[in-house]
Amino acid sequence: MTRLDAPDWLTAPATQAVLDALETAGGAGCVRVVGGAVRNALMGRPVDDVDLATRLHPEAVMAALQAAGLKAVPTGLAHGTVTAVSGGRGFEVTTLRRDVATDGRHAEVAFTDDWAEDAARRDFRLNALYADREGRVFDPTGEGVADALAGRVVFVGEPARRIEEDYLRILRFFRFSGWYGRGAPDPVGVAACAAGRDGLARLSAERVSKELLKLLAAPEPRAVVAAMVETGVLAMVLPDAEAGPRFTRLVDLSPDALLRLAALLPEDPATAGVVAARLRLSNAQRDRLTAAADRTVPVGPGLAPAALRAALYRLGRETVRDRLTLAEASGVKAPETLWAVVETWPIPRLPVGGADLARLGVPPGPTTGEILRAFEAGWIADDFPTDGHEARLRQLIEAAR
């Protein structure tokens, strides 16, 4: 039997306290670590979250945690999930389940005490792995350990059935292939995703965008994105995408998922806005995506230093950085001296305001705004001088009269 070599996350007092609480109530072996923690430990990857599976029903889990003095949060009782808080960390504890009915988006579940039934409803074999507190790994599908060690992402059982249970598994297949797979994605899984791609239209935009951005953040998403193009999956979730050389180069330049998304889209802020709305991105994500595609204020590797500083002032450091990175992905590399300005130039604030004009005898009103806008335009054009502001204001006041 495969055994984990006493990993810190398993032997940690916080983890052991939760295991102790549940085994006190349900007996030895009633709880195991499940899924990502086991998979990542086998693959030598960092473990962030420790999820647990148990034969205990949710109410019994709540009672056991509370009896042990641990906080229990009923995060999803209908689906058997309770969050245990121990040592300041959250541990998701889920009762073993089997699917009773599914509609491609949600599942109706029944609780079970059979580890194999629980494994059979999971998405991929490398996620259907369990480990007890001694580190012994249990592999109900018989292939999960081998898949993890080989970097294979393979559906549990019949791929078409797993997809019909939840069409989000199509995107999860490509996302996990990008993060954990080696080489081309599993061809049987790819074929099943192609056959079931129309079901993606039934998913909420929020679920799709969350999975898509996780996929694009993978260390190496190019092979899976190419497979998504070939299967028509990408066109279902991102019909405006152009997975060409710019995206291919951008992956080497930045791990940022939103910037990689920008590299998949045409350089058109209107299209970027439509995509952001379709994916229900946050306002901040929408603004960044559209700004990266906007060319109203030119930004490129050939900018003179003063023009670059003007762009930094008007657009902000993030937008200028994004545009230069996208330009480099298009094959035009910016010199290091230009990048140095982008990263280190302290973007100034407008050095004058309405109070300065009031002090010079200009009453509040439309004229104040006009003078300040004129001052700002001249101040930017002169490359942000640090003195002479009052004299410039007096000139503009006199001209306004």
Side-chain angles (χ1 to χ4, degrees), residues 4 94 113 182 190 287 304:
L4 305 179
T94 302
D113 61 1
R182 297 179 200 150
V190 169
D287 292 346

Side-chain angles (χ1 to χ4, degrees), residues 221-231 243 247:
R222 284 172 285 208
V224 296
V225 168
M228 291 170 70
V229 171
E230 293 171 7
T231 56
F247 173 74

